[in-house]
Amino acid sequence: MNIARFPRLRYGHLPTPIELLKNLTSHLKGPNIWIKRDDCTGMSTGGNKTRKLEFLMAEAQDQNADIVLTVGATQSNHARQTVAFAARMGIKSHLLLENRTGIDDINYRQNGNVLLDQLHGTTIEEHPADTDMDEAMETAANRLRSEGHKPYTIPGGGSNPVGALGYVNAATEIVTQANDLGVPFTHIVHATGSTGTQAGMVTGLKGTHSNIPLLGISVRSAKNIQEENVFRLAASTSELVDCPGLVSRSDVVVDSNYVGEGYGIPTEATIEAIELLAQKEGILLDPVYSGKAMAGLIDLIRKGMFNHNENVLFVHTGGTAGLFGYTSFFS
Ligand SMILES: *Cc1c(COP(=O)(O)O)cnc(C)c1O
C-alpha cells in the first residue's frame, strides 16, 4: 500500500484526535469507549467527507475542471463539504439535492447544511425522492460541457476508489495512534452509508495487518446489500493501492438493525444517543449518521457484546451541521 503517490489537496486538519469517553464509559458500565474525532477534520464544520475530497478534488484539479458536480440528500454533509472545497480552490460547484426523506419543514429545507451550501456560493437544483440522481448529474454535466465547461462529477458520498483512499489513510492513522497511545483497540465502529468510509478503512486495516475488527452500522440498506456494496468498493480500492484481493468478503461486517424507518429519519434511540453524548461528554453527534451509529453501539454494549477490558473505538464521522435541519425532532 503506497498512497503517497496519489495527488491530494491537504485541506484537512489531520490527524484528528482520539479521546477516551470517560463519562459514557462509566455510565454504560461496558468496555472503554474511545472516539476518533473525524467530526474535526475542518472544511465547513468538518466530517468524514474531508478525507475523501482531499483525493477527489485533487483529481478534479489535475483534470483542469472548472466546475464540480455532486449529488446527495437535502441535508447532505458530502454536498456541503464539496462546495467548501470548490470555494477554496476557486472553481464553481453545482449540487443536485434529492428530497429523499420527504421531510418538509422549513429548517430541513433551508437551514443546516443547505444554509452552508448557499454560503459557500453554489447553485442547487432540487429533485423529488427516488429520482435517478446519477442520470440527473450526467444530464447536468452534459449541458455544462455543451456550454464549454469542464465539469468533474463526484458520486454520492464521494464513494469511489479515489475517495476511499481518504479512509485507507484514516486506518493507518488510527493504527499509528493506537501505538502512540498504547491502547490496543479491539473493535472499530462507525456509520456506513454510501460505503466509502468502511471500504477504505477495511482496506487500510487489512493493509496494515492490524487485525482490528471493523463494524459498520448501516443508516440505510439491509445488512447483506450493504456488505456486498462495501465489499465491491473495498475490492476496487485494494486494486487501486496495488493490493488486489487484500480484503475478503468476511472482513466486511455490517449491522443494519438500527436503520429504523429509513435513511435520514432519526429513531427514538438516535435522539437519545445525541442527547446522551451532548450531556455526558459535550460532544455533538448528528441525526442521520453518527447518532444512529452511536445508538447501535450503545445497544450492543447493553446487550453485552463487549467485555469490560476491551477498547472500542467509535469513529465520529461528523454531520453536526445537520442538527440545525432537524430541530423538529428535538423537544
Ligand atoms: C457520509 C457520512 C457517513 C457515511 O460514510 P459513507 O462513506 O457514505 O459510508 C457517516 N457520517 C456522516 C456524518 C456522513 O456525512
Side-chain angles (χ1 to χ4, degrees), residues 16-251:
T16 56
I18 289 179
E19 301 171 324
L20 176 63
L21 297 179
K22 238 180 168 174
N23 300 332
L24 187 69
T25 296
S26 54
H27 178 74
L28 294 173
K29 302 181 179 66
N32 295 313
I33 309 166
W34 300 77
I35 192 163
K36 171 73 170 160
R37 299 297 304 271
D38 270 18
D39 56 320
C40 302
T41 52
M43 297 311 288
S44 191
T45 75
N48 64 341
K49 303 312 182 301
T50 298
R51 291 186 189 270
K52 300 176 178 186
L53 288 163
E54 283 196 333
F55 290 94
L56 290 163
M57 294 300 255
E59 189 177 71
Q61 197 169 61
D62 272 19
Q63 296 177 7
N64 292 314
D66 60 3
I67 183 163
V68 60
L69 278 69
T70 197
V71 296
T74 305
Q75 283 292 334
S76 167
N77 303 301
H78 163 67
R80 180 241 315 155
Q81 295 207 268
T82 301
V83 300
F85 266 75
R88 186 182 288 189
M89 291 162 70
I91 64 171
K92 289 192 163 70
S93 60
H94 179 67
L95 296 177
L96 295 91
L97 299 181
E98 176 195 1
N99 190 5
R100 197 184 291 165
T101 61
I103 301 173
D104 192 25
D105 137 311
I106 186 158
N107 282 329
Y108 185 79
R109 303 291 294 252
Q110 296 180 13
N111 203 340
N113 284 294
V114 181
L115 171 69
L116 302 184
D117 293 341
Q118 284 163 341
L119 274 178
H120 292 302
T122 190
T123 49
I124 298 177
E125 76 184 59
E126 291 183 68
H127 290 272
D130 299 320
T131 302
D132 184 335
M133 295 302 283
D134 293 331
E135 195 184 288
M137 181 159 65
E138 216 25 69
T139 305
N142 285 335
R143 190 189 66 231
L144 287 162
R145 272 183 213 107
S146 73
E147 292 165 3
H149 282 288
K150 288 204 76 177
Y152 179 81
T153 59
I154 301 181
S159 286
N160 62 17
V162 172
L165 291 174
Y167 272 86
V168 176
N169 244 356
T172 61
E173 188 177 299
I174 288 170
V175 170
T176 302
Q177 286 174 309
N179 292 345
D180 292 347
L181 292 163
V183 179
F185 295 117
T186 50
H187 295 270
I188 300 176
V189 179
H190 68 95
T192 179
S194 70
T195 75
T197 301
Q198 189 167 7
M201 204 136 53
V202 75
T203 303
L205 290 171
K206 288 296 282 195
T208 52
H209 301 278
S210 72
N211 279 331
I212 309 173
L214 181 66
L215 175 65
I217 309 275
S218 178
V219 300
R220 187 176 191 181
S221 302
K223 176 181 170 72
N224 262 332
I225 295 171
Q226 187 71 6
E227 286 180 349
E228 284 298 329
N229 290 341
V230 171
F231 177 59
R232 203 171 322 115
L233 182 54
S236 47
T237 304
S238 301
E239 271 174 38
L240 183 63
V241 298
D242 296 326
C243 301
L246 182 64
V247 176
S248 316
R249 175 64 181 79
S250 58
D251 297 322

Side-chain angles (χ1 to χ4, degrees), residues 39 45-46 77 80 113 284-287 290 316 318-324:
D39 56 320
T45 75
N77 303 301
R80 180 241 315 155
N113 284 294
L284 298 173
L285 298 175
D286 86 281
S290 55
H316 186 340
T320 51
L323 283 171
F324 305 100

